[in-house]
Amino acid sequence: MDNRADQGGWSRRRFVGAMAGTAAVVTVPAPAAPAPDPAPVPHRQKAEPGPRPLYLGTYTSVEGGGKGVSVARYDPVSGAVTGAEPLAEIPDPSYVTVHPDGHTLYAVDEREDGAVTAVRLADGHVLGSRSTGGSGPCHLSVHPSGRWLLSANYGSGSVAVHPVDASGALGARTALVTHSSPAPGPGQQGPHAHQFITSPDGGHVLSVDLGTDTVYTYRLDTGHGTLTEVSRAHTRPGAGPRHLTFHPNGRYAYLANEVDDTVAVCAYDPATGRLTVGEPQSSGASGNVTNYPAQFVVTPDGGFAFLANRGHDSVARYAVEEDGARLRLLDTVPVDGDFPRQLALAPDGRLLFTANQRSGTVSVFRVDTGTGALEQAGEPFASPVAVCAVPL
């Protein structure tokens, strides 16, 4: 969702996107009986030499949009991005992700009759599409097992599960759950599922719903692909939660609230799947500007978090403290683009990419390994209606 006023279902996500310091520190208590820490994460992985793929999502049904999913190349050291080529003609692939084995790409078809599509990366062959059972799917992710695809239908406020076979192709939908309660938040006219992800422990899947101001936790039956709700976490009314990103230790997560322009630290209990939303704090946006926080990413070592701000057109940089329980705003950095809809880190954490929807560009920043400071790596790369950029 890209507007605070409901403008008639999921289409408002595109409506606003097409239109041309120090903050309070909030700490939340650690969840009860946390799971043991995972193995330590190396401070940084060494970047592999040679160009790497950068997959790009767009809208195909808007003026100036792309023709489907494309793939560019980036240098993992310098951050330079070179010419994009078409990969697959998919309608409105506004969000894409890649299977853990690296062989298959999945894209949403963000249309009234929503679908998800699988593409074989070796040759760009489309393996097929499956209905999500809802309208305006805007996010998808692959379960760590590689056997299930999770998708969120923004327009109808529902989440879906599809099986993934050995070839990477999708099977018939095994689950569809609509967020029928609680009642929509202020200014909303229905549920709007914006994200569907797996917790780091792999035991639960969580859906963020902007319309109901709620994060729903489900247990996924990994044998049958069915969902059982186990918990709900509520933001304050009108927050409009959009995206949740976990700290590597799996006990904390960071929530971007689009509608009220705030963020929150959340405690997470892996044993129960219960999420506890902390107090709202600043997105870093300042001045007389309407801002919509979009998405967090966290560095592989868990030391820093970055937030995309649409409207303020910046990336906010936070220090992650107290083993993930606290975010401290350090500064904001202009993206040199308009409306950064999505951001992503390269696998080694040394580069940060922002997909700037209104300017049709992708900006690249080098990330300082010790301070998290961002330095722009050359001019932004032109990409029509860039709404998603996924580096491998």
Side-chain angles (χ1 to χ4, degrees):
M1 180 262 199
D2 290 331
N3 196 359
R4 299 184 187 190
D6 196 326
Q7 299 182 33
W10 64 274
S11 62
R12 62 184 172 178
R13 285 173 41 79
R14 296 188 228 180
F15 176 81
V16 172
M19 293 167 52
T22 303
V25 172
V26 177
T27 304
V28 297
D37 285 343
V41 177
H43 182 60
R44 294 291 184 198
Q45 301 172 2
K46 186 176 180 180
E48 296 181 11
R52 302 285 299 160
L54 177 68
Y55 296 102
L56 302 167
T58 184
Y59 283 117
T60 60
S61 60
V62 300
E63 184 178 355
K67 295 183 178 180
V69 177
S70 58
V71 56
R73 296 283 170 177
Y74 74 94
D75 185 294
V77 177
S78 70
V81 180
T82 53
E85 298 180 351
L87 178 69
E89 291 191 6
I90 297 170
D92 292 322
S94 63
Y95 203 92
V96 302
T97 193
V98 175
H99 192 281
D101 67 12
H103 295 157
T104 312
L105 176 142
Y106 301 97
V108 299
D109 304 5
E110 192 181 328
R111 299 209 163 176
E112 187 65 32
D113 186 12
V116 284
T117 298
V119 181
R120 189 167 60 209
L121 290 177
D123 56 7
H125 176 68
V126 175
L127 298 173
S129 299
R130 293 283 185 171
S131 170
T132 60
S135 63
C138 64
H139 184 269
L140 78 177
S141 63
V142 182
H143 187 268
S145 68
R147 296 179 54 202
W148 306 100
L149 183 74
L150 315 174
S151 58
N153 293 308
Y154 178 86
S156 51
S158 57
V159 293
V161 181
H162 289 83
V164 178
D165 70 20
S167 73
L170 300 171
R173 190 176 61 246
T174 56
L176 178 66
V177 177
T178 300
H179 299 154
S180 57
S181 67
Q188 306 297 321
Q189 296 183 7
H192 292 301
H194 221 308
Q195 185 190 33
F196 200 17
I197 58 172
T198 306
S199 60
D201 59 275
H204 299 91
V205 292
L206 296 90
S207 176
V208 179
D209 195 297
L210 182 150
T212 62
D213 293 323
T214 301
V215 181
Y216 302 82
T217 300
Y218 300 93
R219 188 172 294 281
L220 172 68
D221 184 323
T222 55
H224 301 89
T226 54
L227 297 170
T228 302
E229 184 179 323
V230 297
S231 181
R232 296 181 183 182
H234 304 289
T235 67
R236 65 178 181 175
R242 177 186 176 93
H243 271 254
L244 184 77
T245 302
F246 277 91
H247 186 273
N249 69 17
R251 301 199 309 270
Y252 296 96
Y254 310 115
L255 187 63
N257 295 317
E258 174 179 316
V259 179
D260 72 356
D261 188 20
T262 65
V263 303
V265 178
C266 305
Y268 175 72
D269 183 353
T272 64
R274 182 174 297 278
L275 193 77
T276 303
V277 180
E279 293 299 314
Q281 62 185 100
S282 173
S283 67
S286 59
N288 186 23
V289 62
T290 300
N291 185 62
Y292 308 100
Q295 177 183 0
F296 272 107
V297 293
V298 182
T299 54
D301 62 9
F304 300 94
F306 302 106
L307 172 73
N309 280 315
R310 298 164 299 161
H312 194 246
D313 295 339
S314 66
V315 173
R317 179 175 63 114
Y318 296 85
V320 178
E321 300 175 339
E322 298 183 13
D323 199 26
R326 187 168 92 153
L327 289 180
R328 179 166 56 89
L329 179 64
L330 298 174
D331 58 19
T332 59
V333 177
V335 297
D336 195 16
D338 193 349
F339 223 64
R341 166 82 167 264
Q342 178 260 356
L343 78 173
L345 286 164
D348 65 2
R350 292 178 179 268
L351 295 173
L352 177 72
F353 299 78
T354 71
N356 308 316
Q357 180 176 357
R358 294 184 190 170
S359 57
T361 57
V362 175
S363 298
V364 186
F365 297 87
R366 288 186 287 269
V367 182
D368 186 281
T369 58
T371 66
L374 300 177
E375 177 187 10
Q376 191 166 342
E379 295 296 316
F381 177 76
S383 182
V385 191
V387 292
C388 189
V390 177
L392 292 192

